[in-house]
Structure formats: C-alpha cells, structure tokens
Amino acid sequence: MPELRKDPVIGRWVIIATERAKRPTDFKIKRDPPHGGFCPFCPGNEEKTPPEVLAYRENGTGANGPGWSLRVVPNKFPALMIEGGLQREGEGIYDKMNGVGAHEVIIENPDHAKTLADLTDAQVESVVWAYRDRIVDLRKDARFRYALIFKNHGEAAGASLEHSHSQLIALPIVPRYVSEEIFGAREYFNFKERCIFCDIVRQERGDRRRVVYENDDFITVSPYAPKFPFETWILPKAHQSSFEDGQVREYQNLAKALRITLRKLNAALDRPPYNFIVHTSPLNEKNLPYYHWHVEIMPTLTKVAGFEWGSGFYINPTPPEESADHLHRMEV
Amino acid sequence: MPELRKDPVIGRWVIIATERAKRPTDFKIKRDPPHGGFCPFCPGNEEKTPPEVLAYRENGTGANGPGWSLRVVPNKFPALMIEGGLQREGEGIYDKMNGVGAHEVIIENPDHAKTLADLTDAQVESVVWAYRDRIVDLRKDARFRYALIFKNHGEAAGASLEHSHSQLIALPIVPRYVSEEIFGAREYFNFKERCIFCDIVRQERGDRRRVVYENDDFITVSPYAPKFPFETWILPKAHQSSFEDGQVREYQNLAKALRITLRKLNAALDRPPYNFIVHTSPLNEKNLPYYHWHVEIMPTLTKVAGFEWGSGFYINPTPPEESADHLHRMEV
C-alpha cells in the first residue's frame, strides 16, 4: 500500500509510491531509458492493461478487445490504491496515512503515431468527454475530494509511454496548490464581489496583447505572470467552477481551442514536450461564485533549478506578450 | 530592467528576466546546447566576468587576475538588477515591481575539472566561508530581505556552465517557500514551545533508520517525507536560525558533512546532477527560537510532471529509509 507522508514543517504531503518502488541501482540506468517496440496501449494488446473502466467503441465490439476509439484503464503502476481507508496515524512527530485514491489512464486514440494535436476536432472532443465522464463517475465515491486531470507529453515532460494518453488521479484530500488557488480566488471575491478569472478574461479580451486564440466559448492567453516561457491558459469565457458541468456546445469549443492551441505550440516550438493540467473545483463543491475552471499548458523548455526549488519564485526569460504574439501569428 | 510580476490568483511572484531574453526561436535549438571549449570561470579569463566582489587569493596577486583559490563575481546575465527602487505599480487587475536584487556566482575553485565533491575539506570550508562572507556583506543593504544560496550541478539540474560554482540571489522580499517554511515552524513552536527542527534531529538520532552521516556538529538524514528519491538534508545539531552566525568549528564540520554527503551521493548514484539550497532565516531576523537553518540536497533523478505541477503533491518511488540505508553504507 502506498503511504502518504506529511512534511512536518511546511505540511506538504508526499506519496511514497511503494508499488513503483525503485531500488537505488535503478537510477543509474534511468538516464537512458530503453524504448522497446511493444506498446500496451495499442489495439490488440488490451490484456496488457488492467480491465477498462470506460471505452468509446464500435457497436458490437466487446470490452477489453479491439474496436475502441478511446479507452480508460486503471494505471498498472498506480501512485495510489483504490481500496482501503485512510487510517491516519503518527510516527513520533511525523504524520502518515494510507495512499488511497484512483489512478487512471485515458488512452486518447488507437493510433500509436498520433499525438493529441494530430487528432481531429471530433476525436479531441471525445477526449474531453472522457475526462467529464470519469469525473462524474468518481465523484460518487465519497472518499474522494478531488480529481486531477493532467497530461504529460514527451519524455522530458515525464511521459513514460509514447502512445498519447492523459491521466486522472482522484485524491482523498484537496491538494495544496488547488487549495491555494481557490483560497486566492475567494479572497479576491470577498474583496471585489467578482470572480478574478472573469476579470482576467475581461481584461485580456480588451487588452489583446496576451491573446493567442478565441472562439465563442473559450479564450487562450499567455498569462500575465507565467512561471515558464510559452505557458498558455485556456479559459471558458462564461463563469463556471466545475469542468464537468459544461454544455455540449462548450465541450465542442473546448476541443477546438485545445487542438488549435496545441498545434500553435507545435508550430512555434517544433513539437515541444509539455504538461497540461485541468484546474477545476473540488468534487461535489458545485457552482462556486469565486472559482472558474480552466486548463494550464506548460511546454518543457527550461529547467527548474535551485533558485526555484528554494524560493517558489520562477525566472522566466520570455515576456508573455512576446510568446502570445508569436503563437497568435502561427497558422495551423 | 527585469520585472517582478504577481500571479493575481495565488500571489506567486515571477521574474520576467528581460536581460536574459529568449526569442521564441531560441527554444528550438535549446534542446541540444553547445559545449564550447572556452570557460569564463577558469584562471586567466577573469576579464570575461564582471569584476569580483570577493576573492580568496595568494598574497601579492591583484584583483581580477589569476592567483585566486575562490572567486565571487556578479552574474553576467543576472535575473535581477542591483540598482534602483522597487516602484510597485498596477496594470489593471495585475501587480508588478522592478526586479531589484543581487545575483552573484561563487566560483568554488580554479580547477575546471574538479566538482565540489572532489575538493579537499579545506577547500569546501572556504566555499562555506564565502557564502557566509557574502551574506554578511549583503545584509548591510537595507533593500534586501533574503539571501538565497543554492547550487545547480550538472546540466539536467539547470547548470549552464560546467566549471563548479554556486549562486547567491539577494531579494527585496522574503520568497514564498521560505515564508511557508518559517510559518510552519512558528506554528509548531507556538503549539509545543520547541523548535521542530530540533525535534527532527532528536527523533532521527534516536531512530537511526534515516541517518546517513553524523559528526560533532551536523547530521545528514533522508527526510521523513522527501519530495524526491535520495533527497538528503544536512542539519546543525545545535539550534541556530542563521547560517551566517556560526562558530569556526561549525563551518569546519559543515564542510566535512557536505563533502562526505556529496561523495556518498556520487558513489550511490554514479555522480548524479543535483541542486542544493541553504535554508536560512531572513536577513536581519536574528536568533529566532522557532527556525533552524539547514541544507537540502536534491539529486535530479526523476522528472517533475503534470501531477506535481497541478497538485503540489510529490510522488516519490523510493522510501527514505532505503535511500538512507544505501547512502550510509557507501564508503567514501
């Protein structure tokens, strides 16, 4: 069972993921990972993953066989385990609990060679529907307080398998960064009686210098204070706190915005590795007036080093007005 | 002038470092950086750096020429500028100020081929004295509230030059992570009337499972809730809040602990890239009963990816009891 341990000073929880345990000697070879020809996410290899929890498939095809266009499976090497209770306990001055949670993989399409940016609008739309369907299902489990959806693309961004996929981790606590973001947004709301993200959307739409792309429901911007060069956010224009409570038309336009934004990043930066994260409200906290879900995309272009680890400050050599201008011009 | 910009939601400051400005096209080639033969930190090339602010040198040798055993110079491409005031101002809903601060490089020894772990105890001791001397000097400047000392070793850990060096960044504000650590330590002190780091030292010395090394004044441990595999901390055994207020004997024993710890990491992990950070109290906050300076060393073995960026949670596949046991056994 993985263990959650709490740093006794700053209170950050860490997952000691024993199911993925690495012996010290594993790190010596880690720097040049092997790439075999076998892919557990390709059609025909369905038995190499745990049984699917969701699939979009052709009529008449059976679970855990070919015929799917999208497939969601539990992670074979999960950071957290789905069974058990939290069992909080102390260890002298330290605190720990069981690593309970869900860790799922969204295999975005059957074609090994296609990245998310290479898919059609309709295919990207089915990916965002899968995110929604899984959240709607997982929020029925009362142990879970947050569902984090993210994607690591490319080895430098932490992807260990090449076949395009996203991940979902459902957690028994609201993670630190999410709490901080919600806390900040609530403080602003208490002071102004307005959603800060709505204010950001309004100011960016007026200013235009940091706008990358816009459609009826979504706007893509370079944020005012980006941690990294070419960090890019996609925000719904209308106020909405939960990703999973959108309208059909909104998921269509989100898919369009996501696909175009990724293609612009590909064109500007020669298909960079990247991470993206869906920032949304905690499970079962509905219709918050002060929070506004959105997607943050971070290409992996610079290295996080001692200064950032020591300070929580980020040094970004590229002003967002420059990256937005560059991305805006890219024809995709 | 670099600009400090504040994320309007979570309140994190970012340095938009215009002096190091990167055009979008720079990132396309960034992934395979060139390694020329020329090194601006080698003896004979002193005119390629800004004039030194401190040097330990042979009697009779002049500033900014050869004859030094250690040299501190301003960073040629500083993240912050030494001149000017903060000039806080708004930009609609956003906040910014000037990027005022000092950014210095500590060139640890003249020999290009020697890393910090390859130096003698006496040489490592002169490095820790240089850290101390620079802090003592910079704390006279009333604009600075914090001096962060850190080291990036190896390209994967963010070092852009190979010749072994550390860095110091003096900041006009206390950075976020430092405030969080001090806040956590103060909360504990308020509750227990004891320093949490003193409690950590006491528990680890009794428990032994996470102890890597110990001498009269310092203890090296794998922390209970490490973010990364083989994360390793060096703590003074006696309570002390400021790095720069030590006794001569303590700097000797710190040098010994640092050198042995780095050599053990080298032996266990085949000379890994790493970052280390000196965690110390803000400038001119003296003799805090609740804070305890220490060094945190983080080998670069795993990649920070979407989950960590989205949650502030870390997934660590190596229990600290295992890494401590392994490091403890290493003969160096």
Side-chain angles (χ1 to χ4, degrees), chain B residues 232-265:
Chain B
T232 307
W233 295 6
I234 303 174
L235 302 112
K237 292 200 236 176
H239 182 77
Q240 196 166 290
S241 61
S242 302
F243 166 81
E244 69 271 25
D245 293 335
Q247 297 290 310
V248 171
R249 193 193 74 171
E250 290 169 332
Y251 293 116
Q252 281 166 354
N253 277 327
L254 171 62
K256 203 170 282 181
L258 182 57
R259 180 171 169 273
I260 288 174
T261 303
L262 291 176
R263 292 177 76 89
K264 281 174 174 281
L265 287 165

Side-chain angles (χ1 to χ4, degrees), chain A residues 5 14-15 17 23 28 31 91 93-94 152 177 180 203-204 224 226 268-269 306 311 314 316 321-322, chain B residues 5 14-15 17 23 28 31 91 93-94 152 176-177 203-204 224 226 269 306 311 314 316 321-322:
Chain A
R5 294 187 180 190
V14 169
I15 301 171
R23 301 281 91 66
K28 292 197 184 182
R31 279 176 253 168
E91 220 180 316
I93 55 169
Y94 302 127
N152 304 332
Y177 285 178
E180 286 178 0
Q203 183 163 335
E204 296 302 343
Y224 178 76
L269 300 165
S311 67
Y314 287 81
N316 181 346
E321 294 74 21
E322 255 180 57
Chain B
R5 294 187 180 191
V14 170
I15 301 172
R23 300 282 91 68
K28 291 197 184 182
R31 278 175 256 169
E91 219 180 317
I93 55 168
Y94 302 128
N152 304 332
R176 181 179 189 85
Y177 285 177
Q203 183 163 335
E204 296 302 342
Y224 178 76
L269 300 166
S311 67
Y314 287 81
N316 181 346
E321 294 75 22
E322 255 181 59

Side-chain angles (χ1 to χ4, degrees), chain B residues 52-238:
Chain B
E52 61 200 37
V53 292
L54 173 70
Y56 301 150
R57 23 172 87 253
E58 288 165 40
N59 281 336
T61 62
N64 302 306
W68 49 275
S69 59
L70 178 147
R71 194 164 179 256
V72 183
V73 298
N75 192 310
K76 198 166 179 177
F77 304 101
L80 297 156
M81 303 297 272
I82 193 78
E83 266 131 53
L86 282 179
Q87 291 174 303
R88 287 172 182 265
E89 60 179 295
E91 219 180 317
I93 55 168
Y94 302 128
D95 304 288
K96 65 178 176 181
M97 57 181 169
N98 280 338
V100 174
H103 189 170
E104 301 181 353
V105 177
I106 297 104
I107 307 167
E108 297 155 1
N109 90 105
D111 186 344
H112 187 92
K114 287 225 166 88
T115 71
L116 187 55
D118 299 323
L119 303 184
T120 63
D121 276 342
Q123 285 175 308
V124 178
E125 201 186 321
S126 85
V127 172
V128 302
W129 275 108
Y131 296 169
R132 180 216 162 258
D133 283 356
R134 290 309 303 144
I135 293 182
V136 167
D137 188 42
L138 285 161
R139 74 180 177 191
K140 293 175 194 151
D141 188 326
R143 293 173 307 162
F144 298 145
R145 294 196 51 213
Y146 198 79
L148 186 77
I149 285 171
F150 61 97
K151 179 174 168 72
N152 304 332
H153 172 77
E155 200 185 304
S160 51
L161 286 167
E162 203 178 61
H163 195 127
S164 194
H165 64 283
S166 315
Q167 297 183 65
L168 183 157
I169 292 187
L171 293 160
I173 56 179
V174 177
R176 181 179 189 85
Y177 285 177
V178 175
S179 302
E180 285 178 0
E181 192 180 64
I182 292 175
F183 176 83
R186 195 166 45 209
E187 290 282 289
Y188 187 90
F189 188 87
N190 289 344
F191 187 55
K192 299 269 195 184
E193 298 185 48
R194 293 196 307 268
C195 164
I196 183 155
F197 294 98
C198 290
D199 272 7
I200 290 173
V201 169
R202 203 174 297 117
Q203 183 163 335
E204 296 302 342
R205 289 185 72 189
D207 182 317
R208 307 308 303 175
R209 283 180 301 154
R210 285 176 293 270
V211 175
V212 169
Y213 166 80
E214 189 171 357
N215 64 33
D216 283 349
D217 294 309
F218 289 86
I219 186 168
T220 300
V221 300
S222 298
Y224 178 76
K227 293 189 287 299
F228 303 112
F230 286 86
E231 181 175 333
T232 307
W233 295 6
I234 303 174
L235 302 112
K237 292 200 236 176

Side-chain angles (χ1 to χ4, degrees), chain A residues 3-10 12-18 20-25 27-28 30-31 79-80 91-96 103 148 150-152 155-158 169 171 173 175-178 180-182 184-185 188 194 196-197 199-200 203-204 209-210 223-230 233 267-273 275-277 279 298 301-323 326, chain B residues 3-10 12-18 20-25 27-28 30-31 79-80 91-96 103 148 150-152 155-158 169 171 173 175-178 180-182 184-185 188 194 196-197 199-200 203-204 207 209-210 223-230 233 267-273 275-277 279 298 301-323 326:
Chain A
E3 203 169 272
L4 294 182
R5 294 187 180 190
K6 190 180 184 179
D7 178 284
V9 184
I10 79 156
R12 173 190 46 228
W13 288 92
V14 169
I15 301 171
I16 306 293
T18 46
R20 327 175 124 192
K22 288 215 170 66
R23 301 281 91 66
T25 45
F27 294 110
K28 292 197 184 182
K30 181 79 202 298
R31 279 176 253 168
L80 297 156
E91 220 180 316
I93 55 169
Y94 302 127
D95 304 288
K96 65 178 176 181
H103 189 170
L148 187 76
F150 61 97
K151 180 175 168 70
N152 304 332
E155 201 185 303
I169 292 187
L171 294 159
I173 57 179
R176 182 179 190 84
Y177 285 178
V178 175
E180 286 178 0
E181 192 179 65
I182 291 174
Y188 186 90
R194 295 196 304 268
I196 183 155
F197 293 97
D199 272 8
I200 289 172
Q203 183 163 335
E204 296 302 343
R209 283 181 301 155
R210 284 177 293 271
Y224 178 76
K227 292 190 288 299
F228 304 112
F230 285 86
W233 295 6
L269 300 165
D270 203 8
R271 303 181 76 83
N275 303 109
F276 75 62
I277 297 141
H279 288 236
M298 303 177 302
L301 301 170
T302 52
K303 300 208 170 69
V304 177
F307 179 66
E308 288 81 1
W309 289 125
S311 67
F313 251 87
Y314 287 81
I315 301 175
N316 181 346
T318 309
E321 294 74 21
E322 255 180 57
S323 55
H326 199 70
Chain B
E3 203 169 272
L4 294 182
R5 294 187 180 191
K6 190 181 185 178
D7 178 283
V9 184
I10 80 155
R12 175 189 45 231
W13 289 91
V14 170
I15 301 172
I16 305 292
T18 45
R20 328 175 123 193
K22 289 217 170 66
R23 300 282 91 68
T25 45
F27 293 109
K28 291 197 184 182
K30 181 77 201 298
R31 278 175 256 169
L80 297 156
E91 219 180 317
I93 55 168
Y94 302 128
D95 304 288
K96 65 178 176 181
H103 189 170
L148 186 77
F150 61 97
K151 179 174 168 72
N152 304 332
E155 200 185 304
I169 292 187
L171 293 160
I173 56 179
R176 181 179 189 85
Y177 285 177
V178 175
E180 285 178 0
E181 192 180 64
I182 292 175
Y188 187 90
R194 293 196 307 268
I196 183 155
F197 294 98
D199 272 7
I200 290 173
Q203 183 163 335
E204 296 302 342
D207 182 317
R209 283 180 301 154
R210 285 176 293 270
Y224 178 76
K227 293 189 287 299
F228 303 112
F230 286 86
W233 295 6
L269 300 166
D270 203 9
R271 302 180 77 83
N275 303 109
F276 74 62
I277 297 141
H279 288 235
M298 302 177 302
L301 301 170
T302 51
K303 299 206 171 70
V304 177
F307 179 67
E308 287 83 1
W309 291 125
S311 67
F313 251 87
Y314 287 81
I315 301 175
N316 181 346
T318 310
E321 294 75 22
E322 255 181 59
S323 55
H326 199 70

Side-chain angles (χ1 to χ4, degrees), chain A residues 164-175:
Chain A
S164 195
H165 64 284
S166 315
Q167 297 183 67
L168 183 157
I169 292 187
L171 294 159
I173 57 179
V174 178

